[in-house]
Amino acid sequence: MTFVITQRCCNDSSCVPECPVDCIRPRPGDPDYATTEMLYIDPDTCIDCGACAEVCPVDAIYSDFDLPSALERFVDVNRSYFELNPLDNSRLLAPSAPRKLAAELGTLRVAVVGSGPAGCYAAEQLVRHGNVEVEIFDRLPTPWGLIRNGVAPDHPETKGVVDRFTSAFRSDAVRMHLGVDVGSDITLDELRAHHHAVVYAVGAPGDRRLGVPGEDLDGSHSATEFVAWYNGHPDHADRVFDLSGERAVIFGNGNVALDVARVLVLDPDELAKTDIADHALKALRDSSIREVVVVGRRGPVQAAYSTPEFLALGHLAGVDIVIDESELDLDAASAAILDAPGAHPAALLKMELAREFAARPATPGNKRIVFRYLASPTELRGDDGRVAEVDLVRNTLDGDLVAVATDETETVAASLVLRSVGYRGKPVEGLPFDEARAVLPNDRGRVDGVEGVYTTGWIKRGPRGVIGTNRTDSQETVDALIEDFEAGRLRAPGGDRAALAALLAERVPTLVDKTRWNEVDKAEKAAGKAAGRPRVKGVLPDR
């Protein structure tokens, strides 16, 4: 037998140093680690010990003996990776404890702004150094960022990393201050006065636009808003989405687009078993949408979705995945990618799956997710200020795989349009901002020109990667911070924890601390257990 990594892999890489025969790839530091869709286990080297499965925070690793039928293809996915990348054990990894801070340095105090995965990984890594106090701040009254408010409700295992953080934050070394708006309730200068360092992990809350006429018509929204709405984000709980028509169009074909498409066509009775927000579940029960068209500007080889997420669509009950065979006619450059010696297994499988979906017969009565490639919007149009149809232009790819518009156009009727063309970071008051990349300019996490201020996550590197990608990213930032502290480059804070607590109590009497959050968490889970769900979210006001 062997163990197999499957669809839910979050690239956290906790499994890598646990493997006694070092057969999990790619590893942090390997050339393809930053861009890999998932990690893989070499079946010829695996000794079936199960150490990797025990530490996986999202339960993505199975023995091939216990592999669910819907995941059986991942046996070949794992094997194919090593056929292209034969195992090299020249750099053996072993678990290692972080260096403890010297006692004479005193207590390192760090404020982390943002309680999503990037901020939580940073806090977890900081306290492993010993004499460290971490204060986590978040504008929302609930923690975990996109783990709570961004992960699709039908992917509950992906949220399992929260258990890791909950365990790591049990001690008083980490305190939470939820419902506190840094910049309004407390300033950056005040944070710096109470800490040696401040780490910004505020993500990329904005979204990119299509830049076409009619984009602001009613019925046209960002996928960011829709995802936040069905996940119960308090800023978006009152949003209204027109689900009265039969067709929705999504521009962009990354994993977020696939999440949105699934939520729109899944049986509401299946969604009722998840932690989806109650207001969204009610609206989806009344939905008339039967077809979701997912539009990508480039071809199927360049599609932004990951192979595991694309593969999983084929197992949705009551849903047809529709691809016209003409959509799969490849340009010379795309065909060369697949025909090249050593073509990546993920690209080959992505195309293989597309052809399989195209060959499947339609099932009468099923809902549909339709994939359109090599197409871009030129205008959204409608009557009375509401979107009713979208104009598309057909693209071709040049030699550099850049989409170039042709003169071939068409119009598609739709009552709901969602743009899923990327997240975008927003400026942080008092800090420099790179408008082109929409990040805080930094060197290994040190914010340019601002002593004692650091950054991690999407606001550091841009909106790419999955939950686990933040682990290595945060490690780089924490390493730089620890290096500066040990070298004496960080100013000692003038205020201590007691002074900070007094200031926050005066400014934010509604603050949710770790104890209060644990009470809310237990109540949500108890309500969920009674309803046969993981939890029932209380859509709390952020004030």
Side-chain angles (χ1 to χ4, degrees), residues 218-269:
D218 288 345
S220 172
H221 311 268
S222 73
T224 305
E225 292 177 280
F226 190 72
V227 168
W229 170 75
Y230 66 60
N231 274 312
H233 191 299
D235 288 353
H236 299 269
D238 60 351
R239 293 288 194 277
V240 176
F241 297 90
D242 184 0
L243 307 179
S244 63
E246 292 194 356
R247 181 183 291 122
V249 172
I250 302 173
F251 289 111
N253 59 11
N255 285 347
V256 172
L258 268 55
D259 287 346
V260 171
R262 285 198 321 277
V263 168
L264 283 169
V265 298
L266 277 173
D267 184 339
D269 287 341

Side-chain angles (χ1 to χ4, degrees), residues 37 250-254 294-305 310 323-324 326-331 333-335 337 347 350-351 354 370-377 392-406 420-421:
E37 293 184 337
I250 302 173
F251 289 111
N253 59 11
V294 180
V295 181
R297 62 187 174 88
R298 296 196 294 170
V301 176
Q302 296 83 28
Y305 49 70
F310 192 44
I323 302 175
D324 191 284
S326 65
E327 297 277 344
L328 305 181
D329 294 335
L330 297 181
D331 60 280
S334 296
I337 291 173
K350 191 176 288 187
M351 196 63 203
V370 180
F371 283 86
R372 295 292 309 276
Y373 302 103
L374 289 168
S376 298
L392 302 178
V393 62
R394 186 76 177 174
N395 297 327
T396 186
L397 297 182
D398 65 16
D400 295 321
L401 300 176
V402 174
V404 179
T406 68
S420 182
V421 292

Side-chain angles (χ1 to χ4, degrees), residues 137-471:
F137 294 82
D138 202 295
R139 182 181 65 84
L140 296 181
T142 56
W144 318 132
L146 285 182
I147 303 175
R148 179 181 173 94
N149 297 312
V151 173
D154 64 328
H155 281 13
E157 299 86 355
T158 304
K159 304 180 185 186
V161 70
V162 163
D163 295 336
R164 170 196 186 123
F165 298 140
T166 300
S167 177
F169 299 164
R170 280 193 182 126
S171 78
D172 198 44
V174 177
R175 291 185 180 178
M176 286 186 171
H177 310 284
L178 309 175
V180 177
D181 188 356
V182 174
S184 176
D185 296 322
I186 188 170
T187 67
L188 171 57
D189 286 343
E190 287 172 326
L191 283 185
R192 297 177 72 189
H194 290 82
H195 304 87
H196 291 88
V198 179
V199 178
Y200 275 85
V202 294
D207 59 89
R208 300 184 184 278
R209 293 177 60 82
L210 299 173
V212 300
E215 185 172 6
D216 293 318
L217 287 171
D218 288 345
S220 172
H221 311 268
S222 73
T224 305
E225 292 177 280
F226 190 72
V227 168
W229 170 75
Y230 66 60
N231 274 312
H233 191 299
D235 288 353
H236 299 269
D238 60 351
R239 293 288 194 277
V240 176
F241 297 90
D242 184 0
L243 307 179
S244 63
E246 292 194 356
R247 181 183 291 122
V249 172
I250 302 173
F251 289 111
N253 59 11
N255 285 347
V256 172
L258 268 55
D259 287 346
V260 171
R262 285 198 321 277
V263 168
L264 283 169
V265 298
L266 277 173
D267 184 339
D269 287 341
E270 290 300 312
L271 287 173
K273 301 172 185 177
T274 74
D275 67 354
I276 191 170
D278 287 345
H279 60 261
L281 180 60
K282 181 180 184 303
L284 289 164
R285 284 194 183 281
D286 297 333
S287 171
S288 298
I289 290 177
R290 304 287 305 170
E291 178 176 285
V292 179
V293 182
V294 180
V295 181
R297 62 187 174 88
R298 296 196 294 170
V301 176
Q302 296 83 28
Y305 49 70
S306 68
T307 307
E309 290 297 325
F310 192 44
L311 188 159
L313 291 180
H315 297 281
L316 295 180
V319 179
D320 286 338
I321 308 304
V322 179
I323 302 175
D324 191 284
E325 289 187 355
S326 65
E327 297 277 344
L328 305 181
D329 294 335
L330 297 181
D331 60 280
S334 296
I337 291 173
L338 298 181
D339 293 339
H344 198 285
L348 294 170
L349 180 56
K350 191 176 288 187
M351 196 63 203
E352 182 181 336
L353 290 169
R355 292 189 174 112
E356 289 179 11
F357 289 143
R360 287 186 181 183
T363 303
N366 272 7
K367 295 181 180 179
R368 295 152 50 98
I369 298 177
V370 180
F371 283 86
R372 295 292 309 276
Y373 302 103
L374 289 168
S376 298
T378 57
E379 185 175 2
L380 279 59
R381 293 185 286 108
D383 300 322
D384 302 322
R386 297 200 61 80
V387 67
E389 54 190 23
V390 299
D391 290 340
L392 302 178
V393 62
R394 186 76 177 174
N395 297 327
T396 186
L397 297 182
D398 65 16
D400 295 321
L401 300 176
V402 174
V404 179
T406 68
D407 57 3
E408 183 181 344
T409 62
E410 66 176 297
T411 299
V412 177
S415 59
L416 177 66
V417 175
L418 299 169
R419 63 181 183 274
S420 182
V421 292
Y423 291 85
R424 181 176 171 82
K426 292 184 177 180
V428 175
E429 184 177 355
L431 297 179
F433 189 69
D434 183 333
E435 285 287 353
R437 298 178 57 223
V439 299
L440 299 178
N442 68 92
D443 176 20
R444 291 177 53 219
R446 298 180 177 95
V447 174
D448 291 354
V450 189
E451 177 189 308
V453 178
Y454 301 79
T455 185
T456 187
W458 281 1
I459 195 62
K460 171 189 175 184
R461 68 181 188 275
R464 61 182 184 276
V466 292
I467 288 174
T469 312
N470 293 292
R471 185 169 181 253

Side-chain angles (χ1 to χ4, degrees), residues 39-53:
L39 307 185
Y40 308 87
I41 294 174
D42 180 18
D44 295 329
T45 307
C46 175
I47 60 173
D48 195 33
C49 70
C52 56

